[in-house]
Amino acid sequence: MSAAGASHHPRRPVALITGGSSGIGRALALRLARDGFDLALLARGIERLEETRRLVGAAVPEATVNCYPADVGDVAAASGAVQSVIAQMGPPAWVVLNAGIARPGRFLEQPLDDHLDQMRTNYLGALHVAHAVAPAMAEAGSGHMVFVSSGAAFFGIYGYGAYAPSKFAMRGLAEVLRVELAPRGIHVTLAYPPDTDTPQLAEECRTKPAATKAITAGGGLWSADRVAAQIVAAARRRRFLVTPGAQMRLLAHGHSLLSPLLRVYQARIARKHDR
């Protein structure tokens, strides 16, 4: 396992961020560094990790930023990266489980590998890292886990047959850990970002069916920094749910009641686009 960056300064708490090389993860890295954290960044690509390290270093020279190239969907790689972080920087005060991919498509047309890849990265990636780091956090008697989910975890959305289940699963894990880890001093936050202007969204739009675009329109497009600011602010207040924007708040508090109406709405759009 390779790492890049200066030696750890013990007076700054450590934030471990998966998917920390771009998008919301990069925005969270910049914000947490400014808030006094050293950073352990995990992602698959060392080039973008190094780019994030340089950006943080230019903005917050006093912050230590170590990069750990690893595929969190691989349990051995994820566990190895976490153990390297703990050995080099100590138990993280914050762990942000943000790594994710989204490749929309119709179920009858989408290969099984798309389903497996998204479950492996989005859910299992979060599980692997959380499971590896939780014992050290519990031993320290404090910490905060932040799960970055999606509005697709509230109800079934046309075109997200491969993506939504991975975010439903993450939501379930966060709900359980919120209860189980609280007695050990570990707090859990679950974030539901709206559509955010990131490279991932641009990639997602390449395969998004027309009906899916119509169904998901209307929530607006948020900047990664704006989303990161709301996540950090809510986590600092030890809130469980982070729901940026009116649409996410409505879904978070009323999705069970709204689901029947949303199914009818989606069916109408699907009929229009599937003709």
Side-chain angles (χ1 to χ4, degrees):
M1 178 63 59
S2 63
S7 61
H8 172 56
H9 192 297
R11 288 177 294 181
R12 291 172 65 95
V14 173
L16 185 161
I17 305 173
T18 71
S21 62
S22 66
I24 294 173
R26 178 177 287 180
L28 284 164
L30 282 162
R31 186 160 292 274
L32 288 172
R34 292 189 181 105
D35 284 354
F37 284 82
D38 284 341
L39 303 176
L41 304 179
L42 276 66
R44 284 180 292 186
I46 187 61
E47 295 83 5
R48 288 200 298 180
L49 279 171
E50 288 289 354
E51 183 180 347
T52 300
R53 186 174 72 85
R54 288 191 293 270
L55 287 170
V56 174
V60 191
E62 64 272 23
T64 294
V65 183
N66 288 347
C67 299
Y68 300 84
D71 179 358
V72 296
D74 181 306
V75 63
S79 179
V82 169
Q83 296 312 314
S84 293
V85 171
I86 294 171
Q88 294 166 8
M89 307 181 77
W94 281 34
V95 176
V96 182
L97 302 153
N98 168 74
I101 58 173
R103 290 198 295 271
R106 296 180 181 87
F107 187 81
L108 290 175
E109 301 166 0
Q110 199 162 22
L112 183 60
D113 281 349
D114 275 2
H115 293 258
L116 299 177
D117 286 348
Q118 288 171 82
M119 184 61 75
R120 188 175 67 90
T121 298
N122 301 349
Y123 172 64
L124 292 178
L127 173 64
H128 292 159
V129 173
H131 195 267
V133 78
M137 297 175 80
E139 185 176 351
S142 64
H144 205 119
M145 286 191 186
V146 180
F147 291 82
V148 181
S149 186
S150 163
F154 290 126
F155 66 102
I157 301 175
Y158 181 108
Y160 282 134
Y163 177 69
S166 69
K167 293 300 187 176
F168 269 83
M170 175 187 275
R171 173 185 166 194
L173 178 62
E175 292 273 5
V176 172
L177 295 188
R178 177 196 187 191
V179 178
E180 287 196 16
L181 298 182
R184 308 303 295 268
I186 302 170
H187 300 276
V188 174
T189 291
L190 177 60
Y192 296 102
D195 276 349
T196 307
D197 188 10
T198 65
Q200 175 57 59
L201 182 64
E203 181 67 20
E204 180 181 339
C205 287
R206 292 179 55 203
T207 61
K208 187 180 287 188
T212 311
K213 291 180 180 178
I215 290 163
T216 57
L221 186 64
W222 285 54
S223 72
D225 184 63
R226 190 179 173 201
V227 170
Q230 293 219 6
I231 291 174
V232 171
R236 283 198 174 279
R237 295 196 297 270
R238 296 184 174 178
R239 284 175 49 192
F240 177 57
L241 292 182
V242 188
T243 52
Q247 187 180 68
M248 289 300 107
R249 285 195 298 273
L250 183 62
L251 287 172
H253 297 292
H255 61 275
S256 294
L257 296 174
L258 291 169
S259 289
L261 297 175
L262 293 169
R263 285 194 288 269
V264 172
Y265 170 67
Q266 289 192 82
R268 290 176 179 172
I269 292 177
R271 284 195 297 271
K272 175 181 177 183
H273 288 277
D274 286 345
R275 286 173 182 169

